[in-house]
Amino acid sequence: MITVHFISPKGERQTVDAKPGDSVLDVANRHDIDIEGACEGSMACSTCHVIVLDPWFDKLPDSREEEDDMLDLAFDLQETSRLGCQINLTEELDGIEFQLPRNTRNLLIG
């Protein structure tokens, strides 16, 4: 199992277990972490935006251009921002920490 830490905008920390290969969005949904994921992981929104805390960001594979384009739509964008649907957990990421942004923008709601 992989330990994952989520920190709310208010500083509340929630630690959960995940399986290798799980996406951060799937883990958050399974444990009732407040990450929307409006497009259900199809990378058509930015509602699963997370901020990867140091030193974990450098351990992740580089983001693709499509992810960067979606992140441009996110609130509270940081240098270490990523989409949770695009991060698949590995043993190397055991203990990873994510800060949840203050707000999200759902462009799928019309």
Side-chain angles (χ1 to χ4, degrees):
M1 294 301 273
I2 298 168
T3 301
V4 181
H5 307 280
F6 293 95
I7 303 167
S8 77
K10 294 180 180 181
E12 299 160 339
R13 182 182 200 83
Q14 187 168 350
T15 300
V16 299
D17 289 327
K19 294 179 268 184
D22 285 347
S23 77
V24 171
L25 176 60
D26 289 340
V27 172
N29 286 336
R30 192 166 43 249
H31 294 282
D32 295 322
I33 306 292
D34 192 21
I35 296 178
E36 183 175 355
C39 72
E40 298 178 356
S42 65
M43 204 167 42
C45 72
S46 62
T47 61
C48 66
H49 168 222
V50 294
I51 301 159
V52 184
L53 298 182
D54 286 331
W56 300 103
F57 185 77
D58 291 334
K59 295 183 180 196
L60 297 176
D62 290 339
S63 60
R64 298 184 331 206
E65 184 176 346
E66 296 89 354
E67 180 180 358
D68 293 337
D69 289 345
M70 283 291 104
L71 281 169
D72 286 341
L73 305 174
F75 281 116
D76 199 19
L77 192 64
Q78 306 289 317
E79 289 289 320
T80 61
S81 288
R82 293 293 300 267
L83 295 180
C85 68
Q86 296 301 299
I87 301 171
N88 290 316
L89 297 168
T90 64
E91 295 290 338
E92 181 183 19
L93 299 175
D94 186 36
I96 193 166
E97 297 177 295
F98 298 101
Q99 174 71 51
L100 302 182
R102 293 181 302 251
N103 292 304
T104 61
R105 177 182 293 151
N106 186 347
L107 299 177
L108 297 178
I109 296 176

